[in-house]
Amino acid sequence: MIRVRVRGIYATALSQVLVDRGFMLADVSDVLRDRLRQPVVEGPAEITVKSVDDDADTLLVLGSPWDYGREVEEAIVEELRYVSVRRGRLGLYTVVDAVSLGDCKALLPGGVEGLVQGECPPKGEVIRGYVVKESLSRGDPVFVRSGVALVGLYTTVYTPGDGFSFSEHVRDDARRLELVESIKAEVDISRVHVRFRSNSKYGGPVEVASEARSLAEMAMRLASEPPRREPRILAEGEYISLIYITSPAKSLLDNIRSKIHPTIEYHHSLKAGGFEESSLVDFSEESLRLGYATSRIGLAIISYIASNLKGRKVTIDHRIPDGRKASLGPFTVDSYTVGDSVRMVLTRVFKTPGTLDGLNVEKKPGDYSRTIIDTREWHTIHEYYSKDGKLLGVYVNINTPAEIGFKSIRYLDLYIDVIKKPGEEPEIKDSEELERALQENLVTRDLYEKAVEEAERVARRIAQLYRLSDNSS
């Protein structure tokens, strides 16, 4: 069975998902062990799944063997459905032969173009190296470094190099000394560098030393073999991917978590927002546990956030499935209303002349926009008006339902948009971008179909909604 370590704000729900899918939990925290009451492995994990420290809307899947990482990722994607996935093409620490293209560029296996760290080899030279940074966003290069690195369960061995180092998670001084002593008779650390991974705290000294010796022998052999003239993979490293968890996927996780532990609506969406939102969630769920609140208090928290934002400046965190992001605004929060969802109206006055993107309509100083966001809708409406209040056009961005936080409003853009100019029929734009994202596996089939369905629905809706404006123009 594949052993998985789960960390971060999604840990409770994701652990249950993985157990139900037949995976074994390893390196489990005491809190999670108490909540789940599921069998766990008292030992190292092969795959780690955790929320990214500086981007809590995103999950990192990392580990080896490669097939194990892919299997864990696919289980999560199948369960959550409405997610965006960015996969590394070669894998961290994958050992490759690459051909220098000059200017520190290199042709890697699979036609991937990367950059060489360190001294730049002359054009045409064959490089034996390993991947030190994967490309997980469109436009970001893969970085390779000359040499060989091999990843095991307990250790990573590098050549050229010497000595040893430790993961920050191996903190016990006695354990560190034991590990170092265990490899001294097995590995010549004047020829290779041994890094003890976090898993090494679980391995017996003999087992850890045996793995380090085996990796060191293989690393030295690969380093001594002459490279071939064509790009190829010599040893697979760690599988790595990023999964963006949209608000509908977070709702699915809320439902799973609620069967294990007191959970309010919008739990994961609010937890991903930041410290203030997280504190409100913790307080509310303690109230829920004591019987003083219901799970619907999550909507009240979002309403409270909206009330605090009224009259203030906000930005929209516009995320794109290929990893790019943009900060839109700032906008002024004009008003908000609460029903089964929270609806906000944002305004912005333009100070400089230019062209309204997407509409190809001139804008002048004093013209303004009115942006409508609803936490249950799969779109954001941008209305554009002249200084004297005449409608210039409507641009509807198709995106996942927005998440409102103290710092920003967040959603995942789904490429496809709907525009309407006065006197003209609505037009669906950028369908080919969405199709491309599906072909590149950046969006799931569920996200793709929902985006197409929403664009068609919005086009019909705004044809009726803005008919009066057409007549008055």
Side-chain angles (χ1 to χ4, degrees), residues 259-333:
K259 298 172 183 177
I260 301 166
H261 197 70
T263 302
I264 64 171
E265 289 183 334
Y266 303 102
H267 168 97
H268 291 98
S269 178
L270 289 164
K271 278 283 187 178
F275 175 78
E276 295 89 347
E277 292 93 328
S278 185
S279 297
L280 289 169
V281 170
D282 291 344
F283 170 79
S284 299
E285 290 183 344
E286 179 65 8
S287 299
L288 178 61
R289 186 185 70 83
L290 295 172
Y292 300 145
T294 71
S295 63
R296 296 236 63 197
I297 197 172
L299 183 62
I301 293 176
I302 298 175
S303 175
Y304 172 72
I305 294 171
S307 71
N308 274 263
L309 294 176
K310 185 178 178 182
R312 295 168 56 186
K313 300 289 187 182
V314 298
T315 57
I316 294 177
D317 185 4
H318 180 95
R319 301 289 293 267
I320 302 174
D322 63 20
R324 292 175 295 165
K325 61 181 76 173
S327 180
L328 308 182
F331 304 88
T332 299
V333 179

Side-chain angles (χ1 to χ4, degrees), residues 232-272:
R232 60 171 179 154
I233 292 175
L234 286 87
E236 280 189 340
E238 291 187 304
Y239 184 82
I240 183 170
S241 68
L242 296 174
I243 305 175
Y244 185 88
I245 310 296
T246 67
S247 52
K250 292 187 180 90
S251 294
L252 292 171
L253 289 170
D254 291 345
N255 292 334
I256 294 168
R257 189 179 189 274
S258 68
K259 298 172 183 177
I260 301 166
H261 197 70
T263 302
I264 64 171
E265 289 183 334
Y266 303 102
H267 168 97
H268 291 98
S269 178
L270 289 164
K271 278 283 187 178

Side-chain angles (χ1 to χ4, degrees), residues 443-455:
V443 298
T444 60
R445 172 64 64 174
D446 288 293
L447 268 182
Y448 171 85
E449 292 177 351
K450 182 63 180 179
V452 171
E453 174 190 332
E454 183 70 4

Side-chain angles (χ1 to χ4, degrees), residues 5 27-28 42-45 154 175 198-204 207:
R5 175 195 296 113
D27 195 7
V28 179
E42 300 294 340
Y154 304 111
R175 179 58 172 165
S198 59
N199 278 342
S200 63
K201 59 189 176 185
Y202 293 110
E207 188 177 12

Side-chain angles (χ1 to χ4, degrees), residues 372-389:
I372 303 165
I373 290 174
D374 192 311
T375 56
R376 68 184 165 189
E377 297 287 1
W378 285 71
H379 64 260
T380 300
I381 300 174
H382 301 278
E383 301 171 346
Y384 296 100
Y385 295 90
S386 66
K387 186 176 181 180
D388 58 5

Side-chain angles (χ1 to χ4, degrees), residues 166-469:
F166 294 90
S167 162
E168 62 179 337
H169 300 292
V170 184
R171 301 185 179 96
D172 184 80
D173 289 339
R175 179 58 172 165
R176 287 188 171 200
L177 180 60
E178 182 182 40
L179 290 170
V180 172
E181 290 298 325
S182 72
I183 68 166
K184 281 185 175 179
E186 302 289 338
V187 180
D188 183 356
I189 57 174
S190 68
R191 303 181 67 191
V192 298
H193 179 90
V194 177
R195 180 167 178 80
F196 295 98
R197 306 182 68 198
S198 59
N199 278 342
S200 63
K201 59 189 176 185
Y202 293 110
V206 174
E207 188 177 12
V208 174
S210 175
E211 179 191 85
R213 182 185 68 247
S214 176
L215 292 177
E217 290 172 353
M218 182 177 177
M220 295 301 296
R221 178 176 59 78
L222 289 176
S224 64
E225 289 179 358
R228 293 187 184 176
R229 299 301 304 175
E230 71 278 355
R232 60 171 179 154
I233 292 175
L234 286 87
E236 280 189 340
E238 291 187 304
Y239 184 82
I240 183 170
S241 68
L242 296 174
I243 305 175
Y244 185 88
I245 310 296
T246 67
S247 52
K250 292 187 180 90
S251 294
L252 292 171
L253 289 170
D254 291 345
N255 292 334
I256 294 168
R257 189 179 189 274
S258 68
K259 298 172 183 177
I260 301 166
H261 197 70
T263 302
I264 64 171
E265 289 183 334
Y266 303 102
H267 168 97
H268 291 98
S269 178
L270 289 164
K271 278 283 187 178
F275 175 78
E276 295 89 347
E277 292 93 328
S278 185
S279 297
L280 289 169
V281 170
D282 291 344
F283 170 79
S284 299
E285 290 183 344
E286 179 65 8
S287 299
L288 178 61
R289 186 185 70 83
L290 295 172
Y292 300 145
T294 71
S295 63
R296 296 236 63 197
I297 197 172
L299 183 62
I301 293 176
I302 298 175
S303 175
Y304 172 72
I305 294 171
S307 71
N308 274 263
L309 294 176
K310 185 178 178 182
R312 295 168 56 186
K313 300 289 187 182
V314 298
T315 57
I316 294 177
D317 185 4
H318 180 95
R319 301 289 293 267
I320 302 174
D322 63 20
R324 292 175 295 165
K325 61 181 76 173
S327 180
L328 308 182
F331 304 88
T332 299
V333 179
D334 182 70
S335 64
Y336 77 98
T337 54
V338 182
D340 291 333
S341 61
V342 175
R343 183 178 186 268
M344 299 177 69
V345 177
L346 318 178
T347 59
R348 178 169 56 160
V349 177
F350 301 113
K351 297 180 180 179
T352 58
T355 301
L356 295 172
D357 291 339
L359 289 169
N360 197 29
V361 171
E362 181 186 10
K363 69 173 180 179
K364 301 176 182 178
D367 293 349
Y368 63 95
S369 67
R370 184 172 177 267
T371 295
I372 303 165
I373 290 174
D374 192 311
T375 56
R376 68 184 165 189
E377 297 287 1
W378 285 71
H379 64 260
T380 300
I381 300 174
H382 301 278
E383 301 171 346
Y384 296 100
Y385 295 90
S386 66
K387 186 176 181 180
D388 58 5
K390 181 180 179 181
L391 182 67
L392 299 175
V394 180
Y395 190 103
V396 184
N397 192 77
I398 306 302
N399 49 256
T400 57
E403 300 171 81
I404 297 173
F406 286 110
K407 295 179 181 178
S408 66
I409 297 166
R410 319 185 308 278
Y411 59 63
L412 181 70
D413 176 68
L414 297 176
Y415 294 109
I416 195 168
D417 305 296
V418 183
I419 66 168
K420 187 181 186 317
K421 300 178 184 179
E424 299 182 11
E425 290 298 311
E427 178 186 355
I428 296 176
K429 294 174 61 70
D430 299 328
S431 298
E432 68 283 353
E433 284 292 315
L434 177 61
E435 183 71 34
R436 179 183 174 188
L438 177 66
Q439 297 301 321
E440 294 179 357
N441 297 309
L442 292 171
V443 298
T444 60
R445 172 64 64 174
D446 288 293
L447 268 182
Y448 171 85
E449 292 177 351
K450 182 63 180 179
V452 171
E453 174 190 332
E454 183 70 4
E456 294 171 349
R457 186 183 75 87
V458 165
R460 293 191 298 269
R461 179 184 173 194
I462 66 173
Q464 299 174 348
L465 189 61
Y466 296 96
R467 185 169 292 142
L468 182 59
S469 299

